[in-house]
Amino acid sequence: MAWFTGSVSKTLTIAAPRDKVHAFFSDPEQIRLCMDQLVRHEKLTPTRYRWVLQEKVDKGIRFQPDYVVEYQPGPEEVRWAPHGQHNMKSSGSVRTRALSETQTEVSYTETIEADIPVPRLLAKVIGGIVGTEISRGIEGYLRGVKKHLERG
């Protein structure tokens, strides 16, 4: 087993009011709507959620992300951090700022770590590739969020 990491720090503009955008990121029940690989989620406490994503199979390697996140919503920023021991960890923050009544600037940072069952020697060879794929997944999620919030 080896841990792989991917991160994204991005600022984007969403054509929606700040209150709507901030409410979206503050509510995991809303967040799940843009997780295209979500198999199931479970509310464990008012601020703690378990997420299970679709299994990935490639070249004989099987990995099904399963992780728990503790959310810390605030009036200016939403933060989240991993909780417990699982095969994936997600941590990050999102800040929202009104640019106008219908435009919101979103500053989003997320780091994902995945414990994938590969030999350590292979991990050294594919580490960069896996990290890039993790980052692409975060970018895809953000595209989905933007599309969802701008639809109405």
Side-chain angles (χ1 to χ4, degrees), residues 3-151:
W3 285 94
F4 297 90
T5 303
S7 295
V8 168
S9 286
K10 183 174 186 163
T11 300
L12 60 147
T13 300
I14 296 179
R18 183 205 176 263
D19 288 348
K20 177 181 178 179
V21 175
H22 190 75
F24 172 86
F25 283 110
S26 297
D27 182 4
E29 291 298 328
Q30 292 293 312
I31 292 169
R32 73 178 177 82
L33 299 174
C34 295
M35 297 176 73
D36 64 350
Q37 296 183 16
L38 183 64
V39 172
R40 70 180 183 278
H41 76 292
E42 179 182 359
K43 184 176 183 177
L44 303 173
T45 72
T47 59
R48 190 176 304 149
Y49 279 74
R50 179 178 180 209
W51 305 99
V52 178
L53 306 182
Q54 291 174 353
E55 182 178 48
K56 298 178 187 317
V57 179
D58 191 14
K59 296 179 177 50
I61 299 167
R62 302 177 81 87
F63 176 69
Q64 183 166 27
D66 183 346
Y67 61 107
V68 174
V69 175
E70 182 83 35
Y71 291 91
Q72 302 158 358
E76 301 299 321
E77 180 179 43
V78 177
R79 295 185 155 282
W80 61 94
H83 182 82
Q85 299 296 316
H86 303 278
N87 69 0
M88 196 165 109
K89 300 175 186 176
S90 173
S91 60
S93 66
V94 61
R95 295 185 68 82
T96 56
R97 181 173 71 91
L99 298 176
S100 70
E101 288 185 17
T102 60
Q103 298 282 316
T104 302
E105 179 182 84
V106 175
S107 298
Y108 187 93
T109 301
E110 183 173 17
T111 298
I112 292 179
E113 300 172 76
D115 188 13
I116 300 175
V118 298
R120 294 216 182 270
L121 184 57
L122 179 58
K124 292 180 188 269
V125 175
I126 65 171
I129 296 167
V130 175
T132 298
E133 287 302 310
I134 291 171
S135 297
R136 282 186 186 149
I138 298 169
E139 293 274 357
Y141 165 72
L142 289 174
R143 283 190 300 276
V145 167
K146 181 175 172 65
K147 186 176 179 180
H148 172 77
L149 289 170
E150 289 181 347
R151 260 197 309 249

